[in-house]
Amino acid sequence: MSKRIELLAPAGDLERVKVAARYGADAVYCGGKELSLRTRAGNLTIEEIREAVRYAGKYGAKIYVTVNMIPRDEDVHEVRRYLEDLEDAGVSAIIVSSRYIAKLCKKAAPEMEVHISTQQSVTNSTGVKYWQSFGADRVVLARECTEEEISLIASHTGTDLEVFIHGGMCSGYSGRCVLSNYMSDRDANRGGCAQSCRWKYHDDQGHVISFGSKDLDASGHIPFFIDHGIASLKIEGRMKTAFYLASVVRSYRYLIDTYYKTGTLSDEDYRKAKYIMGSVQNRETYDGFLRGIPGKEGLIEPGARDTVAQDYIADIVSYDGESKTALIRMRNHLEEGEWAEVLGRDNRITPFEIRGMRDEEGTRKTVSNRPMELLRIETPYECESGDYLRRVKL
Amino acid sequence: MKKLYTEGIPGMDYRKLKEAGADGVLMPVSDFSFGPQILYTPEQAALDLKRAKDSGLEVYFKVNRFFHEGDTGEIGAFLQDYVGSADGFYYTDPCVYELLKDLGALDKAVMEDDTMLASTYEISSVLEEGVRRVVVSPECTGEEVLRIGASLKNTEVLVYGPLCLSKSRRKFLSAYGMPAELNVSDPTGEYSLTVRETPFGTAVYEKQILDAGNWITRFSEVFDYFQIRNFTADEDALIDTVRYVRKRIDLEEKTLSSLGGFYSHE
């Protein structure tokens, strides 16, 4: 085996950078306020990026910044200064789809690595070599590659390769879909994708189809990626919540670490990883193109809506070991007598019954239905600030 | 000299195409191109290469799909076979660039990547790699296209034909058990799309085709290369379109009013 594989997690803002690093990501990618593809994510100022680098560093994690918008002339005037600022902030790499920005980065901010975004749809080793000769330090492969193709590409190239393992999938080759531009006047390649592929389309015969893809879950392929020397496993979703990130990152962290430790992943390991992830996944999943080109099983039902799970109960604000109680900030409805468990960065996840709910004044409560309300509950297992309380359905 | 290139129809009368005002014919090759619609098999391309050349036309092959590991040998062999006789190859996947570089034929590389080549900076970066020409993204506004054309030589602009909205490796239509081509619309009925499946994926086109209209004349002030993408198997219709576009290119008065696609966006 070559160097240890990286778990790369997304973050839409500084809070989520911290969660991803704390829950076990080796690197976190986020957007700056400029030239990033997720314009509806909060994204980070340079000062926040500096703080992200500092915080992630405590956990040994790196920060990458996406500069992956496909730029127009008016977008690039300030890009040199921006790249210099990112380098000065301690960013380890930029993720980029533009040749111009990639070249400029090599000159203006040579300390930062250049990672070629999946927007470039690299699907073969000759394409990887092109980007390698371009000075790229890493290439993110297109999500359309099969396991067999990834294996061949890895064996034919010496460049670090990154693959997606979890999250949303585009219906088309990334970067080559402008359905959103035409149908919503929102530029998919400048951060405005309206996900028009997920709409329902019909023909004059009454057939209804969707171009929308199920989400990716490649957890079953982790041994393959590690064995084939892939450099990085990427989780998609800069728009996802901190709770989602905590659950998904910890789950993949568990699988990767277990494989390195034992050389295998058993059904029990996968069951445990699934349990850690809980029910944060709000769409159906499949393993993408890894087993071959997907048919209907890779598509969502026309017009399908995302499900909303109510399992995220509260954030742990603090824990008092003496009274064995936790101060929690509510996020969802909770009643005394329900069962819950704490999802921490590395705690033993054990269900317990909710008891002794009190508000800040110490008044007993049996129900909470006010988001952001602060409550104290009895917590038999130690936890800490930054952990999450989630519902257990018995 | 303003050069006009058009995608052709296999077996067509290339002499008429030349007389209508085309300087070259583009042949999307079935194994290597998403289309748009009229594809040449490699065998037809080989036959028509000579016929088109004999008619005085430049000949380019479109090999602009993404090649997956395992496909690169086939495209490599095709390039090798025709690098001496074709005037160039329109490509998207950088593997084609690498293969042409290995053949010492970068002067035959024409990069056509609809979405990515949308700024002067980006196109300039590609031109610096030694390619022959770059096709400007049709998602640019008309003003952006003009700015690019005014700044950079060896750029080509799409002025007529179907606009591709999405290219996918998935086979949507066969997944639903439907024919290889289908016209669909969104729930409001406002947008009509043509979905076309090939052996290596699906392309989605806007049903209405682009006619850059008066922009063609404006573009001709700064561009030297113009492209028509084919939308029909009707040879007369294609030849009329070539005449129409050539007329617009050669017009000096800018009095025409029709506008098209993203070119008219603010």
Side-chain angles (χ1 to χ4, degrees):
Chain A
M1 286 183 201
S2 50
K3 67 185 172 189
R4 203 174 161 90
I5 208 163
E6 172 188 272
L7 178 60
L8 175 58
D13 56 24
L14 182 57
E15 181 209 349
R16 283 173 274 183
V17 170
K18 292 179 175 179
V19 169
R22 187 167 172 272
Y23 275 79
D26 299 304
V28 185
Y29 66 99
C30 54
K33 293 284 184 192
E34 298 167 65
L35 297 163
S36 171
L37 262 186
R38 292 284 177 270
T39 51
R40 286 190 299 152
N43 293 330
L44 284 76
T45 63
I46 286 290
E47 280 317 306
E48 287 172 326
I49 290 171
R50 207 177 287 282
E51 168 61 11
V53 170
R54 193 197 60 75
Y55 186 92
K58 286 200 305 188
Y59 293 93
K62 296 175 183 171
I63 295 294
Y64 304 155
V65 173
T66 52
V67 192
N68 58 348
M69 177 195 278
I70 294 168
R72 302 294 174 89
D73 282 350
E74 72 265 22
D75 297 322
V76 297
H77 294 130
E78 294 295 314
V79 71
R80 174 183 276 272
R81 178 200 48 77
Y82 181 55
L83 294 173
E84 288 167 352
D85 287 348
L86 293 178
E87 184 183 52
D88 185 59
V91 169
S92 298
I94 60 163
I95 303 167
V96 66
S97 56
S98 154
R99 286 169 173 78
Y100 170 74
I101 296 174
K103 273 186 191 168
L104 186 61
C105 184
K106 284 283 163 193
K107 281 186 204 154
E111 295 297 312
M112 285 194 297
E113 288 191 357
V114 169
H115 297 179
I116 301 303
S117 165
T118 196
Q119 294 294 104
Q120 278 293 352
S121 304
V122 180
T123 54
N124 58 66
S125 54
T126 315
V128 174
K129 281 176 193 156
Y130 167 85
W131 288 108
Q132 191 177 15
S133 62
F134 206 88
D137 300 285
R138 180 184 291 183
V139 173
V140 187
L141 293 180
R143 279 170 276 197
E144 285 77 9
C145 293
T146 65
E147 212 180 57
E148 189 186 352
E149 288 163 352
I150 292 170
S151 153
L152 288 167
I153 294 169
S155 68
H156 292 150
T157 58
T159 306
D160 278 1
L161 300 177
E162 180 177 304
V163 295
F164 278 85
I165 49 164
H166 199 90
M169 294 274 279
C170 289
S171 74
Y173 286 104
S174 298
R176 272 70 182 194
C177 177
V178 288
L179 280 171
S180 172
N181 301 44
Y182 283 83
M183 309 187 82
S184 310
D185 215 10
R186 284 168 47 177
D187 192 336
N189 289 320
R190 293 168 94 195
C193 181
Q195 303 197 354
S196 305
C197 60
R198 295 183 167 276
W199 297 0
K200 236 181 343 187
Y201 294 87
H202 25 173
D203 71 355
D204 52 10
Q205 306 292 311
H207 299 117
V208 182
I209 67 169
S210 167
F211 306 116
S213 171
K214 289 180 184 172
D215 279 11
L216 176 67
D217 176 352
S219 54
H221 300 259
I222 283 177
F224 166 84
F225 293 133
I226 293 176
D227 293 346
H228 285 80
I230 299 302
S232 181
L233 301 178
K234 183 178 220 159
I235 297 166
E236 182 276 347
R238 279 191 281 146
M239 304 289 287
K240 300 286 191 184
T241 64
F243 176 63
Y244 171 94
L245 263 182
S247 310
V248 175
V249 169
R250 183 169 165 186
S251 175
Y252 278 96
R253 178 81 276 155
Y254 169 75
L255 287 173
I256 292 168
D257 290 350
T258 303
Y259 188 68
Y260 274 112
K261 203 163 140 189
T262 65
T264 185
L265 287 175
S266 65
D267 289 349
E268 178 59 17
D269 294 327
Y270 284 115
R271 195 198 58 75
K272 195 167 169 190
K274 204 172 167 60
Y275 189 87
I276 293 169
M277 197 175 296
S279 55
V280 290
Q281 189 63 45
N282 62 351
R283 294 180 192 143
E284 283 187 273
T285 60
Y286 75 129
D287 57 1
F289 285 72
L290 290 167
R291 288 177 206 275
I293 301 170
K296 200 175 176 183
E297 75 284 359
L299 302 173
I300 58 169
E301 285 297 314
R305 292 181 184 278
D306 299 347
T307 56
V308 181
Q310 306 284 329
D311 297 347
Y312 172 23
I313 299 173
D315 304 324
I316 306 287
V317 177
S318 62
Y319 177 72
D320 179 1
E322 222 168 89
S323 63
K324 291 200 169 175
T325 61
L327 184 66
I328 61 174
R329 183 181 295 110
M330 298 307 297
R331 296 288 185 165
N332 263 310
H333 176 273
L334 179 67
E335 291 183 25
E336 189 151 296
E338 284 193 87
W339 283 69
E341 62 194 6
V342 171
L343 177 74
R345 63 186 300 257
D346 55 7
N347 65 327
R348 185 182 165 86
I349 302 172
T350 313
F352 61 91
E353 192 178 350
I354 297 292
R355 289 197 198 128
M357 271 169 64
R358 292 180 187 279
D359 66 14
E360 281 182 287
E361 279 75 43
T363 308
R364 286 271 291 141
K365 295 202 67 164
T366 54
V367 178
S368 170
N369 49 18
R370 281 174 42 213
M372 308 309 282
E373 181 179 26
L374 286 171
L375 294 177
R376 191 164 282 284
I377 58 167
E378 292 173 10
T379 316
Y381 307 105
E382 202 173 328
C383 53
E384 59 184 15
S385 171
D387 291 353
Y388 295 97
L389 187 70
R390 69 182 188 187
R391 199 179 315 277
V392 175
K393 291 189 181 99
L394 296 180
Chain B
M1 174 63 182
K2 306 292 179 189
K3 294 221 173 185
L4 175 59
Y5 301 118
T6 181
E7 291 179 351
I9 301 167
M12 74 180 299
D13 187 336
Y14 293 105
R15 189 182 42 79
K16 277 191 188 168
L17 199 63
K18 173 79 179 166
E19 285 168 4
D23 297 288
V25 62
L26 314 177
M27 300 181 183
V29 184
S30 57
D31 294 358
F32 309 128
S33 175
F34 266 113
Q37 188 172 12
I38 313 295
L39 297 166
Y40 289 70
T41 64
E43 296 73 29
Q44 285 168 331
L47 283 175
D48 281 22
L49 169 69
K50 185 173 181 324
R51 293 183 52 242
K53 283 267 181 192
D54 289 347
S55 303
L57 291 166
E58 296 172 39
V59 177
Y60 295 83
F61 292 124
K62 280 202 170 187
V63 291
N64 54 355
R65 77 168 171 99
F66 291 105
F67 296 93
H68 286 263
E69 194 74 10
D71 302 336
T72 51
E74 210 181 331
I75 179 64
F78 182 83
L79 295 175
Q80 188 144 28
D81 285 348
Y82 294 104
V83 73
S85 49
D87 290 279
F89 302 89
Y90 283 61
Y91 74 98
T92 300
D93 191 322
C95 88
V96 175
Y97 172 91
E98 284 292 306
L99 293 165
L100 286 172
K101 189 166 78 175
D102 290 346
L103 293 168
L106 278 184
D107 61 332
K108 298 209 170 180
V110 181
M111 188 169 190
E112 177 174 55
D113 182 337
D114 282 355
T115 55
M116 295 277 166
L117 303 170
S119 75
T120 310
Y121 299 89
E122 204 60 27
I123 293 172
S124 179
S125 292
V126 178
L127 288 169
E128 283 168 16
E129 294 174 18
V131 302
R132 182 182 195 128
R133 264 196 319 275
V134 174
V135 183
V136 178
S137 164
E139 272 84 45
C140 289
T141 66
E143 294 301 331
E144 285 172 327
V145 173
L146 282 172
R147 194 160 57 234
I148 290 166
S151 311
L152 300 169
K153 293 285 168 204
N154 300 321
T155 48
E156 181 173 314
V157 60
L158 173 70
V159 291
Y160 203 99
L163 291 165
C164 184
L165 275 57
S166 182
K167 291 175 184 172
S168 176
R169 195 183 191 190
R170 298 169 198 270
K171 295 178 183 172
F172 293 106
L173 297 179
S174 46
Y176 285 100
M178 291 175 179
E181 183 165 325
L182 194 70
N183 291 318
V184 298
S185 54
D186 77 305
T188 67
E190 198 176 340
Y191 299 101
S192 293
L193 307 173
T194 299
V195 186
R196 193 169 295 130
E197 192 167 296
T198 72
F200 42 80
T202 310
V204 181
Y205 291 89
E206 193 177 45
K207 199 167 177 194
Q208 213 175 349
I209 60 172
L210 167 75
D211 172 1
N214 195 36
W215 283 105
I216 302 173
T217 311
R218 292 193 63 193
F219 293 157
S220 71
E221 289 176 20
V222 292
F223 278 88
D224 290 328
Y225 303 98
F226 300 82
Q227 186 186 140
I228 297 169
R229 285 188 192 158
N230 194 7
F231 55 96
T232 176
D234 179 340
E235 197 172 313
D236 291 339
L238 178 62
I239 285 170
D240 281 345
T241 304
V242 170
R243 280 204 192 93
Y244 160 78
V245 172
R246 172 52 77 188
K247 183 91 179 159
R248 294 262 191 188
I249 291 170
D250 294 342
L251 265 181
E252 286 180 6
E253 286 180 31
K254 297 164 192 62
T255 53
L256 302 170
S257 58
S258 69
L259 302 172
F262 273 82
Y263 297 151
S264 302
H265 281 213
E266 291 293 318

